[in-house]
Amino acid sequence: MNLAGAVAFTLSRRVTVLVLAALTVVVGVISIGRLPVELIPPGMSSAQITVSIPVDAANPAEVQETVVRPTEENLRTIPGIVRLVSFAGPNSAQIRLEFSKAVDIDLAVAEVRDRVERSRLSWPREVRRYNIFRFNADTDIPILSFGITFEKRSDDLTFLIDEKVTKTLEAVPGVARVQVWGLLDDQIRIYVDRNKALAAGIDLYRLTQDLENANLDVSGGEVDDGGVKYSLKTAGRFRSIDEVRDYPIRPGIKLGQIADVRPEQAVRDFVALYRNEFALWCIVQKESTANTVATCRRVEEAIRTKIATDKSLREVGATVRMEGAFNTGTLIQDALDTLRTTAQDGAWLAVLVLLVFLRRFRLTLIITLAIPMALLLTAAWAAATGGSLNLLSLLGITIAI
């Protein structure tokens, strides 16, 4: 059908054209309400995972042969890897993996941890620790942060924050994780009585090595049973403080007989202050598919109605400090409002230019009505294909207008 035929069809089928226009308006309006609002389009950056392995008293060649090479061989079996870069230096090894955008980053982290556990069997005995770091722009960039100050210090502060703040916010739809900076973790401290240890003939250095080796979950590989693979792992970590006290040093002697084993808080290595007052800093991260603006609003509502009014927190003088807090939802909304205003101004300017050059109000009105119709069709297409309303999409719409 040529252009003349299309024009003749619209003129002869006015009811059909009107119904199609009304349908476009309805579908477009519904789609705009369902489009997720983001700062940038999801999936712009690939997910990255970094494995850091400290290796004491080793040169780069030794690190490459004994740690990096066997670890690389196991990591390469993970599906979805786009790029793998390793670095062997003095006293350390680092392996960076970049995954495709279609890979679930949480599943990838689990796969990486499993492969590293298998690789530990071939590492030197003195190499036991490793760290895994992940980064994904869709989930790891915080969407909101705020502070909490306290008038009273409480021994149960860690438990109170976990129950009343962390779990409350993680229950909000769209929230993936909540981190609290400034809390002290609970640890088990072992104070060995030197005289008792010497009397029992116990070497303190050997005791330290034995405790470190005993507190490990060791991977035992896989067993293939009729096409079904089972992962084997030896559960060796201490599960309670009584297990630590009852650890057999030698026949007839337990750790609790020569040492005082008790729970204590960790040494403070991070201090958060709000106007020179001790504070805890809370960071909220969202799920990859969640609407950033809507999630921020739900989190703010939970803070106002549940956390700020909680009786247990008020008893210790807890005050939520939102002044100066980072809020991605507000930043996105302000940026989108600015672009939306710019697009509206551009639309009115386009109408004015058309009216000046065409000098026919009726024809100008027809072309003007085509602009919002095209925008509604764009919104419907974006919603149907899983798109979002973000800075780049609005920028493109503004340029098109």
Side-chain angles (χ1 to χ4, degrees):
M1 180 182 294
N2 53 23
L3 180 60
V7 173
F9 175 81
T10 56
L11 293 177
S12 61
R13 299 288 191 273
R14 298 180 181 180
V15 176
T16 302
V17 173
L18 183 61
V19 170
L20 291 176
L23 182 62
T24 301
V25 172
V26 172
V27 174
V29 170
I30 295 176
S31 300
I32 290 176
R34 295 183 177 181
L35 276 176
V37 182
E38 305 286 352
L39 183 62
I40 58 176
M44 284 194 65
S45 62
S46 301
Q48 294 184 0
I49 298 176
T50 301
V51 181
S52 177
I53 308 169
V55 185
D56 296 332
N59 57 53
E62 293 175 344
V63 173
Q64 173 68 25
E65 291 297 326
T66 61
V67 177
V68 173
R69 190 180 299 278
T71 307
E72 273 189 353
E73 292 176 355
N74 283 308
L75 290 175
R76 290 185 186 279
T77 62
I78 301 176
I81 295 179
V82 176
R83 187 182 181 193
L84 190 150
V85 180
S86 61
F87 170 80
N91 305 325
S92 68
Q94 189 176 90
I95 303 175
R96 186 171 69 251
L97 301 97
E98 183 177 337
F99 290 84
S100 63
K101 300 174 183 179
V103 172
D104 185 347
I105 185 63
D106 295 326
L107 181 60
V109 170
E111 292 276 1
V112 169
R113 191 177 302 278
D114 176 72
R115 300 306 193 279
V116 174
E117 286 290 337
R118 299 182 193 178
S119 304
R120 290 175 66 180
L121 298 175
S122 59
W123 292 353
R125 288 184 55 84
E126 63 273 10
V127 181
R128 289 300 178 191
R129 297 182 295 109
Y130 65 89
N131 299 303
I132 296 179
F133 307 95
R134 51 172 276 182
F135 178 77
N136 184 4
D138 297 335
T139 57
D140 294 336
I141 296 179
I143 61 170
L144 189 142
S145 64
F146 62 95
I148 303 178
T149 58
F150 296 86
E151 296 178 0
K152 305 175 184 178
R153 299 291 182 91
S154 174
D155 295 335
D156 298 330
L157 184 59
T158 300
F159 174 78
L160 192 63
I161 292 298
D162 183 63
E163 291 292 324
K164 303 299 182 180
V165 178
T166 304
K167 291 185 179 180
T168 298
L169 294 181
E170 287 182 346
V172 175
V175 173
R177 184 172 58 167
V178 178
Q179 299 182 63
V180 181
W181 292 357
L183 283 176
L184 295 180
D185 296 329
D186 293 329
Q187 292 184 344
I188 296 178
R189 294 295 181 93
I190 302 174
Y191 296 93
V192 180
D193 189 317
R194 181 180 294 271
N195 295 328
K196 292 182 179 179
L198 292 177
I202 297 173
D203 184 358
L204 296 183
Y205 175 78
R206 180 64 180 273
L207 175 61
T208 303
Q209 294 295 111
D210 291 342
L211 287 173
E212 183 178 351
N213 294 331
N215 190 32
L216 290 175
D217 289 337
V218 180
S219 175
E222 293 182 345
V223 175
D224 192 341
D225 183 14
V228 180
K229 291 185 178 181
Y230 299 92
S231 297
L232 301 181
K233 180 178 291 187
T234 303
R237 291 186 180 274
F238 296 118
R239 307 300 175 185
S240 65
I241 190 172
D242 291 332
E243 290 186 8
V244 180
R245 292 194 180 105
D246 295 337
Y247 176 74
I249 302 175
R250 60 176 52 181
I253 301 179
K254 297 180 179 180
L255 181 62
Q257 295 177 289
I258 67 166
D260 180 16
V261 183
R262 60 191 182 204
E264 289 185 0
Q265 289 187 326
V267 178
R268 184 176 298 279
D269 58 357
F270 179 89
V271 177
L273 298 176
Y274 178 85
R275 296 181 180 177
N276 295 328
E277 294 182 41
F278 169 77
L280 300 177
W281 201 250
C282 303
I283 296 177
V284 182
Q285 295 170 309
K286 74 175 186 70
E287 297 174 350
S288 59
T289 57
N291 188 319
T292 302
V293 176
T295 303
C296 286
R297 289 173 180 171
R298 287 192 289 264
V299 170
E300 290 178 326
E301 181 67 19
I303 293 173
R304 286 194 302 267
T305 59
K306 297 180 180 180
I307 297 177
T309 60
D310 187 87
K311 293 182 180 180
S312 301
L313 292 174
R314 296 181 68 178
E315 288 177 358
V316 296
T319 304
V320 178
R321 304 293 187 178
M322 298 295 294
E323 301 87 356
F326 176 76
N327 191 328
T328 306
T330 303
L331 296 177
I332 294 175
Q333 197 62 55
D334 292 344
L336 294 180
D337 290 342
T338 302
L339 278 176
R340 192 177 291 114
T341 302
T342 304
Q344 291 175 356
D345 295 342
W348 287 114
L349 181 61
V351 171
L352 181 61
V353 171
L354 286 173
L355 184 60
V356 169
F357 281 91
L358 296 178
R359 297 181 182 180
R360 295 176 61 182
F361 180 78
R362 195 172 182 181
L363 186 57
T364 303
L365 181 61
I366 294 174
I367 299 176
T368 302
L369 291 177
I371 295 176
M373 293 291 292
L375 296 180
L376 291 174
L377 279 174
T378 303
W381 173 261
T385 56
S388 65
L389 198 61
N390 51 73
L391 293 181
L392 294 183
S393 61
L394 271 182
L395 182 61
I397 291 173
T398 303
I399 295 174
I401 293 177

